Amino acid sequence: ILNVEQSPQSLHVQEGDSTNFTCSFPSSNFYALHWYRWETAKSPEALFVMTLNGDEKKKGRISATLNTKEGYSYLYIKGSQPEDSATYLCASLRSNDYKLSFGAGTTVTVRA
Amino acid sequence: DGGITQSPKYLFRKEGQNVTLSCEQNLNHDAMYWYRQDPGQGLRLIYYSQIVNDFQKGDIAEGYSVSREKKESFPLTVTSAQKNPTAFYLCASGTGTSQPQHFGDGTRLSIL
């Protein structure tokens, strides 16, 4: 993996259902993985910064896991609500330049 | 309230014209960043500054210039050399590599 890739590009989920999506990143020179939530007409908001292999973080109904050896992170939303509708961005920070490289995002639409 | 203020929200540029996008933060953050977003792509780093009076080129610096004369301010100038300036521009600030970045609301630049 040379760039940060997110899949799927978009997804629709019924209110109350759970969902998850993937961020793939270069495993070489890994330093940190950021997750942001970007709601329409607002600024991106930080969810998690993860650095350790195997790390899991949780914020309310949203959680994330990290595998630095194989270069992927999952974001989970449990019991989706309409307010979870947003684009979720991940970004990888590499130790060789300490610059964030962003994926194109996964846009989640929660249907009532 | 502490935060990042970008202005204007919308900006139009004529051919051959330089335009400047403003970014101000009152979070007392040392580092500031400029990103560009194009449809279907992740945020791409234009310039960043780790400290006052110092800045570095990001991945797509050609056709742009910045200054960092004050800790609070990091204006971005889109010069006439930038042949495809139409995009959404986000400014961010941060305190360190393991900390999340804080974003402004963005400026949308279009060509007249």
Side-chain angles (χ1 to χ4, degrees), chain A residues 46-64:
Chain A
L47 289 172
F48 308 113
V49 177
M50 308 173 78
T51 57
L52 299 176
N53 184 46
D55 201 6
E56 290 188 34
K57 295 218 171 181
K58 188 176 181 181
K59 186 176 183 177
R61 293 179 291 96
I62 300 177
S63 60

Side-chain angles (χ1 to χ4, degrees), chain A residues 16-91:
Chain A
D17 288 350
S18 297
T19 189
N20 64 83
F21 38 93
T22 309
C23 171
S24 301
F25 54 87
S27 55
S28 61
N29 300 310
F30 174 83
Y31 189 86
L33 194 284
H34 293 217
W35 279 103
Y36 295 87
R37 173 169 58 198
W38 194 358
E39 296 178 64
T40 302
K42 294 187 178 181
S43 55
E45 170 197 0
L47 289 172
F48 308 113
V49 177
M50 308 173 78
T51 57
L52 299 176
N53 184 46
D55 201 6
E56 290 188 34
K57 295 218 171 181
K58 188 176 181 181
K59 186 176 183 177
R61 293 179 291 96
I62 300 177
S63 60
T65 60
L66 179 66
N67 183 321
T68 62
K69 296 190 185 308
E70 296 182 44
Y72 64 84
S73 174
Y74 293 131
L75 193 86
Y76 300 88
I77 304 176
K78 184 178 178 182
S80 303
Q81 299 298 309
E83 59 264 31
D84 296 326
S85 296
T87 296
Y88 292 82
L89 303 176
C90 73

